[in-house]
Amino acid sequence: MKTHTISILGAGYVGLTTAALLAHCGYRVFAVEPNPDRLKSIKEGKSFFYEQGLDAVIKIAIDSGNLIATDSYEESVTNSEVVFSCVGTPDNPDGSSNLSYVYGAVEESLKYMPDNSIYIQKSTVPVGTGRNVEEIIKKSGKNISYVSNPEFLRESTALFDTLYFDRVVVGGDNKDSVDTVLDIYKNLESNRDKITKISNIEQGQDDGKYISTSLNSAELTKVTANAFLALKISFANSIAVLADKVGADVNEVMDAVGSDKRIGRAFLNAGRGYGGGCFPKDVSGLISSADQFGIDLTIMKAAQDLNTSMPKYVIDKLESTVGNLSTKRVCVLGLAFKAGTSDVRKSPGIKLANLLVKNAGTVKAFDPKAMDEAKEHLSSEIKLSKSIPEAINDSDIVIIATEWKEFLSINASEFMKGNKDRVIVDAVNSLDDITLKKAGIKYIGIGR
Ligand code: UGA
């Protein structure tokens, strides 16, 4: 089937990135977003979150008329051969995935989708969800095929990851529909040079794989990938705790271990643990869906527990080095869940800052991009700083919680300005400890 018009339901990190990029590939793309503020921002040609290169791509796509932002399923879905669902799947208090938006989007789309169109699930859903959706489609009496196309982009490199994908995974029973979805990505691949120039992102490699699977395998692939990456991080953190005891440096260990091609160095950076809208949720979602099938995923439960303990471990290590913190003025640099994004969901930096309120004399916090987003999650006792010098100034202890390049480029004399005894806690293990220590800084890493 030839695709002319595409609807993307939900204009979050995944949906908006996908919509903006596909609008540069000759398709007419509807970005369907119910939130009025987000919608307004997209219509004005900009994203409502920070993501490198995205605004440039959105602006051109909106101005050209190829990207249409709307809150109407009727306007968008009625005219689309292909519908991508990218709605949110927040976690329930018990750790399972809340699928109300997923099913809501299906029900609403079915009112308008024409026969012979394709419904593509990009939202991260527990394995088995697709089969349930297929039942709903069947009951509607419409001839619509359902395909799972999990997303692997990372926030902060969303454009790069989508354009220079390692793999596109498409799962479903209908081979023609699977091929139609694969063709959309092949078209995206053929437009990548043009979009790379527009967005001014780095050029990647041409080695992405196209993989077609069964529906259940595609669904399970997504959560398995995130769970394995989370496992790698927790594994590195457990070795960091041991390294602290035995006097080894976890960075050295992981550099050496990761140079084994079977293991790889990626996602073995120890520190304050993982956060974000995906790993914590997908790990608990996988544990919960395994539970439903009578499988006890103890390995993931251990990874989750270890991760939850890491912010407290950072504070414990600091206390064991400098003593009681009750008279200390501490600042936390980095409130986004990682560098390159303004997203603060399950941010370890915010957890650290809030935990410190109980132990430290005073707590200040700063982030180059996420101050607005962080505000509402921070204890009212935390003072918000406007710049790095303002945060560091008057602080006895500086904790680096996010690897923003602005923080990694602070040099020893800036760290020591006004207080040569200032303690630096590198909770992302990304500073040059040797240079800092040589300059006389009291440096504390995690597992270093
Ligand atoms: C993650 C996956 O990497 C993507 O492939 C996936 O598409 C996405 O979830 C999703 O499911 O939507 P993301 O959450 O954007 O992407 O961020 P990551 O770069 O994976 O980082 C997650 C967390 O792990 C961050 O807090 C980061 O600081 C932490 N991390 C990462 C470590 O603590 N150590 C590492 O070695 C790597």
Side-chain angles (χ1 to χ4, degrees):
M1 185 180 81
K2 184 100 184 87
T3 307
H4 301 283
T5 305
I6 296 174
S7 283
I8 313 258
L9 312 177
Y13 286 92
V14 171
L16 186 53
T17 303
T18 309
L21 293 179
L22 292 181
H24 285 264
C25 300
Y27 305 114
R28 191 162 70 116
V29 182
F30 288 98
V32 187
E33 173 56 49
N35 178 309
D37 294 336
R38 293 177 173 193
L39 201 58
K40 182 168 174 285
S41 166
I42 303 165
K43 281 183 175 165
E44 285 165 2
K46 51 183 194 292
S47 170
F48 55 89
F49 52 85
Y50 173 72
E51 186 65 48
Q52 194 206 343
L54 186 55
D55 279 356
V57 176
I58 295 176
K59 178 87 179 88
I60 295 173
I62 287 280
D63 289 349
S64 72
N66 287 346
L67 179 61
I68 302 145
T70 177
D71 57 3
S72 162
Y73 274 59
E74 183 171 10
E75 178 194 3
S76 53
V77 169
T78 312
N79 299 304
S80 299
E81 297 91 29
V82 163
V83 174
F84 283 93
S85 172
C86 305
V87 298
T89 51
D91 42 359
N92 287 317
D94 68 356
S96 62
S97 304
N98 177 341
L99 298 179
S100 55
Y101 298 122
V102 167
Y103 286 117
V106 171
E107 300 282 1
E108 194 59 17
S109 298
L110 283 175
K111 293 183 192 161
Y112 307 108
M113 281 180 81
D115 272 327
N116 303 318
S117 54
I118 308 172
Y119 195 86
I120 303 159
Q121 192 63 260
K122 267 188 114 47
S123 302
T124 302
V125 292
V127 60
T129 306
R131 290 289 176 227
N132 295 337
V133 175
E134 283 185 329
E135 283 303 310
I136 297 171
I137 293 173
K138 209 165 143 194
K139 279 192 195 131
S140 78
K142 287 193 171 175
N143 181 23
I144 290 164
S145 57
Y146 181 83
V147 165
S148 166
N149 168 222
E151 180 55 58
F152 302 107
L153 68 78
R154 291 161 297 176
E155 289 178 28
S156 79
T157 49
L159 260 57
F160 180 88
D161 291 348
T162 311
L163 286 175
Y164 299 98
F165 48 84
D166 291 332
R167 76 292 206 198
V168 167
V169 176
V170 185
D173 295 339
N174 184 322
K175 190 179 174 312
D176 288 346
S177 300
V178 168
D179 287 345
T180 300
V181 180
L182 290 172
D183 283 344
I184 293 173
Y185 285 97
K186 287 176 186 162
N187 189 12
L188 178 64
E189 187 179 2
S190 64
N191 282 284
R192 62 165 53 139
D193 288 348
K194 178 183 83 181
I195 304 173
T196 301
K197 280 200 193 95
I198 293 170
S199 57
N200 205 17
I201 59 164
E202 138 199 22
Q203 186 98 27
Q205 303 282 323
D206 290 334
D207 55 3
K209 284 196 182 78
Y210 294 93
I211 302 172
S212 51
T213 67
S214 70
L215 185 55
N216 282 359
S217 296
E219 285 176 346
L220 193 54
T221 298
K222 163 69 194 194
V223 276
T224 303
N226 276 2
F228 186 69
L229 293 171
L231 199 57
K232 280 186 95 175
I233 298 168
S234 282
F235 178 76
N237 282 328
S238 62
I239 299 299
V241 172
L242 177 61
D244 272 334
K245 277 271 179 287
V246 301
D249 181 327
V250 71
N251 280 13
E252 288 179 352
V253 174
M254 292 308 162
D255 285 348
V257 170
S259 63
D260 182 332
K261 285 194 186 65
R262 295 169 303 172
I263 297 171
R265 179 63 177 86
F267 283 73
L268 289 176
N269 293 328
R272 76 310 193 238
Y274 59 77
C278 304
F279 285 178
K281 172 169 77 75
D282 290 354
V283 169
S284 62
L286 184 62
I287 292 170
S288 152
S289 66
D291 269 348
Q292 284 167 23
F293 290 93
I295 309 287
D296 188 9
L297 273 189
T298 47
I299 189 168
M300 293 318 305
K301 287 180 180 165
Q304 189 178 46
D305 289 346
L306 199 275
N307 192 61
T308 308
S309 72
M310 287 316 291
K312 166 99 174 32
Y313 180 79
V314 173
I315 296 172
D316 289 347
K317 183 165 181 194
L318 170 62
E319 277 181 330
S320 71
T321 316
V322 303
N324 189 296
L325 298 178
S326 60
T327 58
K328 304 287 184 201
R329 299 161 300 173
V330 185
C331 83
V332 175
L333 296 183
L335 302 168
F337 82 94
K338 65 171 182 177
T341 177
S342 54
D343 192 348
V344 298
R345 284 177 291 172
K346 305 238 161 76
S347 159
I350 291 181
K351 264 199 218 167
L352 262 171
N354 286 336
L355 278 175
L356 277 162
V357 166
K358 293 182 200 124
N359 302 40
T362 61
V363 183
K364 287 200 252 180
F366 174 74
D367 189 281
K369 288 271 188 271
M371 289 312 277
D372 285 346
E373 291 79 355
K375 250 187 269 173
E376 60 180 294
H377 303 281
L378 288 169
S379 153
S380 56
E381 289 164 64
I382 296 171
K383 190 168 178 296
L384 306 177
S385 300
K386 292 196 175 63
S387 66
I388 296 173
E390 191 191 309
I392 296 181
N393 190 18
D394 299 334
S395 292
D396 306 306
I397 297 162
V398 177
I399 301 184
I400 310 288
T402 302
E403 66 283 35
W404 282 106
K405 61 178 184 327
E406 289 89 333
F407 304 152
L408 305 187
S409 60
I410 304 173
N411 64 31
S413 60
E414 287 164 327
F415 271 134
M416 291 166 101
K417 202 169 168 202
N419 180 357
K420 63 179 179 25
D421 292 326
R422 192 166 281 138
V423 175
I424 308 302
V425 180
D426 181 5
V428 285
N429 280 354
S430 296
L431 296 174
D432 179 354
D433 58 330
I434 295 174
T435 308
L436 292 176
K437 281 178 190 163
K438 262 194 202 143
I441 286 205
K442 295 190 175 64
Y443 171 95
I444 300 173
I446 307 306
R448 303 185 86 185

